Amino acid sequence: MSAFDTVLLVAVLLLTLVVAGAMVVGLRTLRRIGTAPAAADPAFIAEKDRQEQSLAALRSAADEANSTIDVAKSAAAAARAEAAAAKAEAKAARAEARRMLDDARAEADTILERAHKQAEADAEQLRATARRSGEREVAVLAATTREQAAEVERRAARMDERERLHTEEVERLAERERQLTAASAALAAREAALDQREAELAEAEERRRRELERVAGLTAEAARAELIEAIESQAKREAALLVRDIEADARSTAEERARHIVVDAIQRVASEQTAESVVSVLHLPGDEMKGRIIGREGRNIRAFESVTGVNLIIDDTPEAVLLSCFDPVRREVGRLTLEKLVLDGRIHPHRIEEVYDLARQEVEQLCRRAAEDALVEVGITEIHPELVTLLGRLRYRTSYGQNVLKHLVETAHIAGVMAAELRLDVPLIKRSAFLHDIGKALTHEVEGSHAIIGADLARKYGESEEVVHAIEAHHNEVPPQTVEAVLTQASDACSGGRPGARRESLEAYVKRLERIEEIAAGKLGVEKVFAMQAGREIRVMVKPEDVDDIGAAVLARDVAKQIEEELTYPGQIRVTVVRESRVTEIAR
C-alpha cells in the first residue's frame, strides 16, 4: 500500500466519523422535538426553526461528505490503476534492460575475440619486422667492422710511412748538425780575423783623427758641435720647407673638399633669421589706456610688475608701451597678459592675476608646439618629455640676436648634410647637433656653461654617450673625441657664422677688433696690423729684414692659434702675413 492510498483511507475514515456524529446529533434533536409540548410559544417555534435549519445543514454536509468520499474512492481507484501501469512499465523496462545487457555482453565478447585476433596478427608482424631489422643491423655491423679493419690497416701503413720519414729526418738533422759545427768553426776563425782587422782600423782611425786635429786646429768635440749645428740648421730649414709644402698640399685638397661640403650644406639649408631684443612694444588703441594701465596711485602697474616680473615702461611714445625683461619667456607672458587686459578693458590687480595665469598657460602651449614642430622638421621622434619642454623654452631665447631654436634646427640640417656626404650615422649626428644648445634653457637657473649644463641634462634624460659628449665638447670645455662632436662644432660654426645670422653690440665688436690687433702687433718683427671685413680677416705687415718666408708662415700660425684660444667670435678669422721688400733708386 502506497502513501497516497494511506492518505485517502484516513480522509475517508475522518469523513465517515463526521457524518456519523452529525446523524447522531440530528436524531437527538428530533427526539427532543417529538417529546416537547405543542405550545405556541414563539421562542419554542424559533428554536425549532433553528434546529430544523441545523438539521438541513447537517444533511447537506452529509451529502457533501458522501460526494467527497465518492471522489476519493474514484481517485484511489485511478491511483491503483496508475500504480498497476507503472508496475507493468517497470517490468517491461527490466526486461528490456536485461535484453540489452545480454546483447552488450555478446557484442563485447565478439569485440574481445576480434581484438585478440588483431593483437596476434600485430605481434606476428612486429616479430617479422624485428627479424628484418636485426638482419639489417647485423649486416651494417659487419660492414662497419670491415671498414674499421681497413682503416686500422691504413693507419698502420701511415704509421710505418711516418716512422720511415722520421728516420730520414733524423739522419738529415744529424748531417745538418755536422755542417753547422763546421760552419761554426769557420765563423769563429773569421771573427778572430775581423777582431784583428777592427783593431787595426781603430788604430788607423786614431792616427787619422790626430792628423786632422793637427791640420785643422780643432778638437774632435768642437768639430762635432760645429757640424751638428750646421746640420741642425739645414734640417730645420728643410723641415720647415717640407712642412710648408705638405700643409699647402693638404690645405689645398682639404679646404676644397671641406668648402664643398660646407657650402653644399649651407645652400641646402636656407632658413630665415630673426633678430630678437630684450624689449617688446605693445600698441594701444589710445593714449587714455595708459592711465587705466597705471591705475589709481599706480596700483595696477605695480601689481602687473609684481605678478609678471616684467618692467612696464610708459613714456611719451604715442599709443605704445614698452615691456622690458631679460628673460624672453617671461617677457612674452607679460606681453600677452597686457594685450589681453587691454582688449578686455577691465584692469585691476585681481584681474591681472587671472589673465597672467591664462597667458602663462598659453605661452607654455606655444613653446611645446614649437618644440614638437622643430622635432618633426628635424626628424627626431623619440625624446624625453622634459627635453621637449626645455626645447620649447628656446623659442624665446636668443644668442647674439639669433633665435636659438631656429639655430638648433639649422645646425641639425647642416650636420645631417655633412654626415650624409661623409657616409656617417645621419640620425645620431643630427640628434647631437639639435641638442647641443639645450643647456641655454637653464642658464638663468643653473650655474655653469651651457655646454656642461646641456650634457648633464642629456645624460639625466637617457641620451646616448655620443650625444652627451658632442654637447659638452662643442665649445671645447671638453676636448672632442668623436666625429659626432667635431661635426657638431662645424655645423654650429656654419649656422652662427653666416652673414646676417648673428649680431653683437658695438662695444663688444670694437673690443674684439682691438684685441685682435693687439695680439698680432705683439709678435716680433710686426710693423703694421689691419683688421678687415668686420674683423673676419686680419692682415699683418712684417719687416722683411726681421722675418723671412718661413718665419712668416710660423707667425701666421701663432697669431691664429692665440686668437682661437683667447677670443670668442662667430665664424672664422683669416690671418694673412705680408712680407714685402722694396728697393728704391733715383736716376739722375
Side-chain angles (χ1 to χ4, degrees):
M1 182 179 244
S2 63
F4 184 71
D5 295 338
T6 304
V7 172
L8 288 177
L9 181 60
V10 172
V12 169
L13 291 176
L14 290 176
L15 289 175
T16 303
L17 292 176
V18 170
V19 170
M23 292 179 66
V24 170
V25 173
L27 290 175
R28 288 179 180 178
T29 304
L30 290 175
R31 193 180 294 115
R32 282 197 304 269
I33 294 171
T35 56
D41 189 1
F44 177 75
I45 295 172
E47 179 66 21
K48 182 179 178 180
D49 293 337
R50 186 180 61 79
Q51 290 179 356
E52 288 178 354
Q53 291 175 357
S54 300
L55 183 59
L58 289 173
R59 287 175 181 169
S60 62
D63 294 338
E64 290 179 0
N66 291 329
S67 64
T68 303
I69 290 171
D70 293 338
V71 171
K73 287 180 179 180
S74 62
R80 291 191 190 94
E82 290 179 357
K87 288 179 180 179
E89 290 179 359
K91 287 181 179 181
R94 282 195 294 272
E96 182 66 20
R98 194 176 296 110
R99 184 183 62 78
M100 292 177 67
L101 182 60
D102 294 338
D103 293 342
R105 287 175 179 171
E107 186 175 358
D109 293 338
T110 303
I111 292 172
L112 185 61
E113 184 178 359
R114 192 182 302 116
H116 283 309
K117 292 180 181 179
Q118 183 67 30
E120 291 176 358
D122 293 342
E124 184 64 26
Q125 185 177 1
L126 288 173
R127 283 194 293 272
T129 303
R131 191 180 301 109
R132 289 193 297 272
S133 177
E135 292 173 355
R136 284 196 300 272
E137 290 181 357
V138 169
V140 170
L141 289 174
T144 305
T145 303
R146 287 193 295 273
E147 291 179 358
Q148 290 179 353
E151 181 66 22
V152 169
E153 293 178 356
R154 288 193 295 272
R155 288 184 179 179
R158 287 197 297 271
M159 290 294 292
D160 295 339
E161 181 67 19
R162 287 181 181 177
E163 187 175 357
R164 184 182 63 80
L165 294 175
H166 181 67
T167 303
E168 293 178 356
E169 184 67 22
V170 169
E171 293 176 355
R172 284 196 300 271
L173 289 175
E175 181 65 23
R176 180 70 174 172
E177 186 176 358
R178 287 192 296 271
Q179 293 176 359
L180 289 175
T181 303
S184 297
L187 286 175
R190 290 185 66 182
E191 285 180 359
L194 287 174
D195 291 340
Q196 184 179 358
R197 182 67 176 170
E198 285 180 358
E200 294 176 355
L201 289 174
E203 185 178 356
E205 179 67 23
E206 182 64 22
R207 289 195 300 269
R208 187 181 66 84
R209 185 181 63 80
R210 287 196 297 269
E211 183 64 21
L212 287 175
E213 289 179 356
R214 184 183 65 79
V215 173
L218 293 174
T219 62
E221 289 75 9
R224 186 183 298 109
E226 185 176 351
L227 181 61
I228 290 174
E229 183 179 357
I231 293 174
E232 182 179 0
S233 177
Q234 182 66 23
K236 284 183 177 180
R237 185 172 185 84
E238 292 179 357
L241 294 174
L242 182 60
V243 167
R244 186 180 63 182
D245 295 339
I246 293 174
E247 285 183 351
D249 186 24
R251 191 179 296 112
S252 63
T253 57
E255 285 186 358
E256 182 179 358
R257 175 62 176 164
R259 190 180 298 110
H260 172 72
I261 293 175
V262 171
V263 170
D264 182 58
I266 293 176
Q267 286 178 349
R268 291 172 60 181
V269 181
S271 61
E272 61 180 6
Q273 300 297 333
T274 304
E276 304 287 346
S277 63
V278 296
V279 177
S280 297
V281 179
L282 179 66
H283 295 282
L284 303 177
D287 287 337
E288 65 277 2
M289 185 60 69
K290 294 181 179 180
R292 300 178 62 182
I293 293 174
I294 296 172
R296 182 179 299 175
E297 298 179 355
R299 65 171 187 173
N300 290 345
I301 190 172
R302 285 196 302 271
F304 180 86
E305 293 180 347
S306 175
V307 171
T308 62
V310 177
N311 294 326
L312 191 59
I313 302 173
I314 302 176
D315 53 14
D316 295 336
T317 305
E319 298 181 354
V321 294
L322 299 179
L323 294 94
S324 177
C325 180
F326 188 73
D327 189 346
V329 178
R330 196 160 51 195
R331 187 175 67 249
E332 179 65 15
V333 173
R335 189 190 66 81
L336 284 178
T337 302
L338 187 58
E339 183 178 0
K340 292 179 180 295
L341 289 171
V342 171
L343 291 176
D344 183 57
R346 295 175 295 169
I347 303 176
H348 52 82
H350 181 67
R351 181 61 180 168
I352 290 173
E353 294 178 359
E354 294 178 353
V355 176
Y356 171 74
D357 293 335
L358 296 176
R360 182 170 51 81
Q361 295 175 5
E362 183 177 349
V363 169
E364 290 176 356
Q365 293 177 359
L366 290 175
C367 290
R368 188 169 188 83
R369 189 178 303 113
E372 293 173 352
D373 293 342
L375 289 170
V376 170
E377 183 177 354
V378 176
I380 298 175
T381 55
E382 297 180 358
I383 191 170
H384 198 278
E386 289 297 329
L387 291 180
V388 176
T389 303
L390 294 174
L391 286 170
R393 296 175 65 178
L394 296 178
R395 179 176 186 266
Y396 299 103
R397 180 73 160 80
T398 60
S399 177
Y400 292 100
Q402 184 182 23
N403 186 276
V404 175
L405 186 58
K406 293 181 180 179
H407 165 64
L408 293 182
V409 174
E410 182 179 358
T411 303
H413 286 315
I414 294 175
V417 174
M418 291 182 179
E421 289 288 337
L422 298 175
R423 294 180 176 85
L424 300 175
D425 189 352
V426 176
L428 177 61
I429 293 176
K430 290 180 70 174
R431 193 181 190 94
S432 302
F434 184 71
L435 295 176
H436 78 277
D437 274 346
I438 186 67
K440 289 185 178 180
L442 292 178
T443 51
H444 302 304
E445 304 171 8
V446 181
E447 184 178 355
S449 68
H450 72 275
I452 302 301
I453 296 172
D456 294 339
L457 286 174
R459 187 179 291 108
K460 177 181 178 182
Y461 293 118
E463 293 296 329
S464 63
E465 285 300 322
E466 292 83 359
V467 175
V468 172
H469 177 67
I471 295 173
E472 66 185 0
H474 79 275
H475 279 322
N476 290 319
E477 278 89 353
V478 175
Q481 303 292 333
T482 62
V483 66
E484 291 84 4
V486 175
L487 283 183
T488 300
Q489 281 186 338
S491 58
D492 183 25
C494 289
S495 175
R498 292 195 299 111
R502 294 185 175 183
R503 59 179 175 80
E504 56 185 343
S505 65
L506 178 61
E507 183 180 358
Y509 169 73
V510 172
K511 286 184 178 180
R512 179 161 60 85
L513 290 184
E514 291 177 352
R515 182 55 186 158
I516 290 174
E517 292 181 350
E518 289 176 0
I519 291 174
K523 301 298 181 180
L524 183 63
V526 175
E527 184 177 7
K528 295 180 181 179
V529 179
F530 301 99
M532 308 173 66
Q533 295 184 7
R536 297 183 182 274
E537 182 178 358
I538 177 173
R539 293 189 181 180
V540 183
M541 314 297 290
V542 298
K543 301 176 182 178
E545 61 273 11
D546 295 338
V547 180
D548 57 4
D549 291 341
I550 299 175
V554 175
L555 178 62
R557 188 184 304 111
D558 292 343
V559 172
K561 186 174 182 61
Q562 187 173 355
I563 290 175
E564 288 178 358
E565 293 175 351
E566 295 186 10
L567 298 180
T568 301
Y569 50 90
Q572 61 184 7
I573 298 176
R574 181 187 302 274
V575 179
T576 303
V577 177
V578 179
R579 179 177 179 270
E580 183 180 18
S581 298
R582 293 185 182 182
V583 178
T584 304
E585 185 63 39
I586 300 174
R588 294 181 177 85

